[in-house]
Amino acid sequence: MFGRFLGSDLARVAIRALGRLRRKEELDGDEEYAVERLLSWLSRVGGADGNPLLDEVLDETQREFLLSYRLPESEADSTPGGSAQQRSRQYILPARTPRGSSLPSLAAAPAGVSGGMPAADAPGLPDVPSRASSEEVEADGSPELAEMLRKLDDWESFDVFRLAELTDGRPLQTVALALLRKRGLIARLGLPEDRLRCFLSDVEEAYHGHNAYHNSCHAADVTQALGAMLAADSFAEHLSDLEQLGVILAAIIHDVGHPGVSNDFLIRTQSEAAVAYNDQSINENMHCAAGFKLLAKKENCFLCRLPAEDFRYLRRLVIRIILSTDMARHHDSVEDFTASLRLWGPHLLAWAPDKRVVALQLLVHAADISNPARPLRFSSEWGRKVHEEFFAQGDKEAALGLPVSAICDRRRASVPQSQLTFVEYVVRPCFSALAEFAPTFVGKAQPHIEAAQHYWQQQLEREQAAAAAAEQGTGAAAEEEPPEVAPTLQQLHLHAPPQQPPALPQ
Ligand SMILES: [Zn+2]
């Protein structure tokens, strides 16, 4: 596998760039990316110094150049409290974002959520087991995959289902690594990429592949959506590196370990998770805890070099963002954001430091519910998948002798009606609230939301026409079939004003 990487096109680009002995700043984007991949590969196979495979393709001068590239001054000392920490503070946050004691005052982490930051250990190349990851996928280098990763920010063409095929079921780690790299966070924050890859690989495994919807493909989709938002509009320029890492990390782990059933189901069945989290945002609390537990594994702890204060800040941020993905908080999230927007306007720099998290929460929530804002060929597929999962829950409810939730009842629920409700009363208000804050992204999304609404309206009319024809054709037998129902807010456990029509969970 390692030899294959060195023979890949990516490695050839890196070696050609090194051959010219140019400084990092003189490389073009593709060359810089290729050299970073080479360095990443080297960190896994034992470094550039005396590597027999590399000896064949680089002379001594080129190898020395590569080593100097590997350890720029800002990364040479990663000991917490050392000089690198002082330097890192210059690039972790932009100039006008408050630091130190004036960090945004996030609420304390909920009790019972475990996962702390292991102490930073020796700097340098960590001793971690090699395992299959997006690294090999990239090394094998299908041109289609390379093209997809180059267009990672593209809202129109990104196809997460195809990405899952191309990466042999590893879309999440592929998207996450590419996004963190693309935004320069790995380099600027000095994140050890081998640990990051191990973490991402574990997270992807912890998503349940048997869920029709809440699997790692959904997490990859949400992570890419967030990346597309960050790339499209200028607000991202005013986010600190820690804030950017916070939203991306939250997107990556926001549904990890999802059991494929709703919070309501977990409460009704008196599940262990419901008891552990006192019936409060059970799944969301569980995702947070599961994500941080994976991060706490020594071989996964890619945040170990962050100053302790920065880690605590990042952890509080990620927890708040993930808890806000609970659909029961949807209306509150939109209202909080809208109120802040009215008060301070669309430029994030004008927002009170402790309110910036409100914007970050809504961004990740919008990414989480962005299916109908995708091109129709993707949004219709996501609509089908989410209902497949709902119906699987309905089957479990029936098997347990529980009343079957309206939206989960495969005999009665109408997929088009549910999707229309979701688009109209959940997705539209959220994206409308974001329109002033992220105008370019919302401008791309809105035509697709219109198209999705039109499509599901047509599907609903067809479904109703078919039902009417069946009723006429079968007479009394048809009359015995229960009528189609739309879910109520109570059934869906959304906290909405009573005058609002029903909406759907995600
Ligand atoms: Zn989700």
Side-chain angles (χ1 to χ4, degrees), residues 262-284:
S262 66
N263 287 335
D264 175 57
F265 179 92
L266 295 173
I267 293 169
R268 283 198 291 153
T269 54
Q270 298 178 32
S271 68
E272 276 184 35
V275 174
Y277 296 113
N278 302 311
D279 296 350
Q280 304 297 307
S281 299
I282 304 158
N283 273 328
E284 294 72 21

Side-chain angles (χ1 to χ4, degrees), residues 25 28 48 63 90 100 104 108 128 134 137-138 171 196 202 243 296 323 343 347 351-352 360 388 415 453 470:
E25 303 78 57
D28 67 33
R63 204 161 45 245
Q90 296 167 15
V128 295
S134 54
V137 171
E138 288 173 42
L196 171 61
D202 270 0
E243 285 172 327
L323 292 183
L343 203 55
H347 301 296
W351 286 40
L360 305 181
E388 198 179 318
V415 172
Q453 192 161 19

Side-chain angles (χ1 to χ4, degrees), residues 16-173:
R16 251 201 321 272
L18 290 167
R20 300 205 312 274
L21 293 178
R22 289 190 171 177
R23 293 177 341 123
K24 181 179 179 181
E25 303 78 57
E26 295 168 324
L27 303 180
D28 67 33
D30 286 348
E31 288 171 334
E32 189 174 346
Y33 173 75
V35 172
E36 282 177 7
R37 305 314 309 133
L38 176 62
L39 288 167
S40 168
W41 169 75
L42 282 169
S43 75
R44 303 178 65 204
V45 299
D49 206 4
N51 184 299
L53 287 170
L54 208 61
D55 284 348
E56 290 177 25
V57 290
L58 293 183
D59 64 31
E60 200 174 327
T61 315
Q62 290 165 337
R63 204 161 45 245
E64 274 182 24
F65 172 73
L66 181 61
L67 286 169
S68 71
Y69 190 124
R70 173 76 186 100
L71 293 172
E73 193 189 356
S74 64
E75 289 183 42
D77 175 9
S78 61
T79 308
S83 57
Q85 183 181 346
Q86 298 308 316
R87 282 193 297 276
S88 76
R89 290 180 177 280
Q90 296 167 15
Y91 57 68
I92 285 179
L93 293 170
R96 292 189 57 188
T97 304
R99 297 284 306 132
S101 59
S102 58
L103 279 171
S105 57
L106 300 170
V113 176
S114 63
M117 179 183 66
D121 51 16
L125 301 169
D127 180 22
V128 295
S130 172
R131 72 174 86 170
S133 73
S134 54
E135 182 79 359
E136 283 80 5
V137 171
E138 288 173 42
D140 287 346
S142 115
E144 188 182 356
L145 175 59
E147 178 65 10
M148 197 177 274
L149 294 179
R150 260 196 295 279
K151 291 184 166 179
L152 189 65
D153 302 331
D154 193 289
W155 190 247
E156 301 300 323
S157 67
F158 180 76
D159 181 347
V160 75
F161 304 118
R162 181 65 184 142
L163 180 66
E165 290 171 0
L166 291 172
T167 58
D168 196 20
R170 290 176 290 209
L172 176 58
Q173 52 195 290

Side-chain angles (χ1 to χ4, degrees), residues 214 218 222 254-255 368:
H214 287 106
H218 165 64
V222 173
H254 83 282
D255 273 331
D368 194 20

